[in-house]
Amino acid sequence: FMAMFMPLISIQSISQSENYKAAWLFFASPIDRAKLLLAVRNAILVSIILPYMIILIVIFSYYMPVVHAIAHASVIVAISGVIFQCYLMINPKMPFAQERRPNRGGFAMTAGISLLGVLAMVLFGLVIYFGYRSQARFWPIFALIVTLSALLERAVHSRVRKKLDREEFEM
């Protein structure tokens, strides 16, 4: 569960800052804000998620064959990617541009994260029930999840671009 939601936790903490007023730089500079947010997302994936998954594969390989450990970690990464894409569709925010508000998560945020958790568990349950029974079933289901993530990627690009182009800097 933690491995699937680590990208969400990371992007939420990057979008909030004590010095959020300094984010005017992102709004005043001639950069493409959508590319900036997606670059932050990619940096999180490469610098945090990928090393964590490698460590997870090493831990899994102690308890199961290495091939199974890699397959299981790949499923976790694929489902995590789908959840991450859904979160960016729902709530794209500029990095460091939101004021940090402790103890003010709000009902909408809690409900959204809960729904994404249910989606992750449903996808994972389907993979466990249908995919882990045989290799012939595993790879098509894994390919389906990766394809879903790739389709969501295209939707995320357009949604993030539309949302961030309308966003204004607030003092």
Side-chain angles (χ1 to χ4, degrees):
F1 194 73
M2 179 62 187
M4 283 190 246
F5 281 93
M6 189 185 303
L8 294 181
I9 294 166
S10 300
I11 199 77
Q12 276 184 325
S13 46
I14 286 177
S15 68
Q16 299 176 355
S17 173
E18 298 290 332
N19 300 318
Y20 68 96
K21 292 182 181 179
W24 68 269
L25 184 64
F26 296 133
F27 293 92
S29 64
I31 60 172
D32 184 5
R33 291 183 224 154
K35 284 184 180 179
L36 175 69
L37 178 61
L38 296 173
V40 168
R41 178 206 56 189
N42 294 341
I44 289 172
L45 290 175
V46 170
S47 64
I48 297 172
I49 307 304
L50 187 63
Y52 182 78
M53 286 302 151
I54 291 170
I55 292 169
L56 201 59
I57 289 171
V58 170
I59 292 170
F60 285 166
S61 65
Y62 180 76
Y63 296 102
M64 62 181 78
V66 175
V67 175
H68 292 248
I70 292 171
H72 189 61
S74 299
V75 166
I76 291 172
V77 167
I79 292 173
S80 176
V82 169
I83 299 305
F84 199 25
Q85 302 285 29
C86 289
Y87 177 77
L88 285 177
M89 286 281 291
I90 295 168
N91 198 15
K93 293 189 184 210
M94 288 295 293
F96 310 110
Q98 306 298 318
E99 181 181 7
R100 189 174 307 275
R101 296 182 209 150
N103 301 327
R104 295 183 72 199
F107 177 76
M109 182 61 77
T110 304
I113 296 291
S114 298
L115 287 174
L116 290 176
V118 168
L119 175 65
M121 291 301 112
V122 166
L123 285 174
F124 200 59
L126 290 173
V127 171
I128 288 172
Y129 186 74
F130 293 111
Y132 284 172
R133 291 181 182 217
S134 71
Q135 290 284 334
R137 289 184 184 179
F138 174 78
W139 292 111
I141 290 174
F142 178 70
L144 184 65
I145 293 172
V146 170
T147 304
L148 176 63
S149 183
L151 291 174
L152 281 172
E153 177 72 20
R154 297 183 65 89
V156 164
H157 278 278
S158 64
R159 166 77 174 136
V160 165
R161 187 168 309 286
K162 286 178 190 175
K163 172 85 167 61
L164 294 182
D165 283 345
R166 290 188 317 240
E167 203 169 89
E168 299 281 329
F169 179 69
E170 296 178 15
M171 284 284 232

